[in-house]
Amino acid sequence: NAFTGCSNLETINFSSALEYIGSKAFMATKYINTLDNEEFVMINNVLIKYNGNAENVVLPNNVTSIAGGAFAGNHSIKKITLSENTNLLCNGAFDSCINLKEIEVNYKGLVEIELEIFDTLPQGFIVKVFKDSLSLYDNDIYWSLYDNNIKTK
């Protein structure tokens, strides 16, 4: 919530080293509203907002993390395919995505998640991971909360 409600915030300069943006950091700012014409709103390699309405979303290969609120409230999405470089999902990224049924992971290791990341998704959603990575997910404290939702592809 770093800049939430800063209604006059129009421009920001970001360091090229930026890798993480917290939940809803730019909500209700002029900055985020000026980016509504882009499908994938990125800061460096962090996806901060998705403006599309596709049912199946495939993330660009340069996305390494998804900020909180990036897909929040999108009722069109049924499936999201993460890029092979996406290795961090921040809390609130998928809030109220009531039709999201599947997230496909293409990262070869463990994708880091924050607590309660999937709590607002519909019951029965699945996360597909590589068979070789399954034990990493089984042994992770946050992912273990979603054991019944993790499937191999």
Side-chain angles (χ1 to χ4, degrees):
N1 296 330
F3 301 105
T4 296
C6 295
S7 57
N8 293 321
L9 181 67
E10 293 183 34
T11 60
I12 305 171
N13 294 318
F14 298 97
S15 162
S16 61
L18 180 72
E19 295 179 0
Y20 177 87
I21 296 173
S23 181
K24 302 170 186 145
F26 304 105
M27 182 192 280
T29 65
K30 285 182 183 178
Y31 172 76
I32 199 70
N33 292 334
T34 63
L35 303 172
D36 282 345
N37 60 339
E38 298 177 40
E39 183 178 21
F40 296 99
V41 179
M42 308 273 299
I43 298 174
N44 295 348
N45 295 326
V46 179
L47 177 67
I48 63 168
K49 188 176 180 189
Y50 173 73
N51 288 317
N53 59 3
E55 288 186 3
N56 296 311
V57 177
V58 178
L59 293 187
N61 206 36
N62 61 329
V63 175
T64 58
S65 65
I66 301 175
F71 291 98
N74 188 310
H75 297 170
S76 300
I77 301 172
K78 293 183 178 180
K79 178 182 178 182
I80 297 174
T81 302
L82 305 181
S83 83
E84 63 185 19
N85 296 309
T86 305
N87 60 20
L88 174 63
L89 308 177
C90 297
N91 196 20
F94 311 108
D95 278 358
S96 301
C97 290
I98 59 173
N99 293 309
L100 182 59
K101 305 286 187 221
E102 181 180 333
I103 298 172
E104 182 176 342
V105 174
N106 287 306
Y107 185 68
K108 300 276 189 205
L110 178 72
V111 173
E112 287 183 59
I113 61 171
E114 294 181 345
L115 191 60
E116 301 173 350
I117 182 74
F118 302 122
D119 285 4
T120 66
L121 293 186
Q123 192 170 12
F125 79 94
I126 61 170
V127 178
K128 288 187 177 178
V129 302
F130 289 114
K131 186 176 183 178
D132 294 346
S133 301
L134 184 59
S135 65
L136 297 172
Y137 290 85
D138 288 342
N139 294 317
D140 183 81
I141 191 164
Y142 292 139
W143 279 103
S144 67
L145 299 171
Y146 306 102
D147 273 347
N148 293 332
N149 305 91
I150 301 171
K151 309 293 181 205
T152 58
K153 53 182 186 167

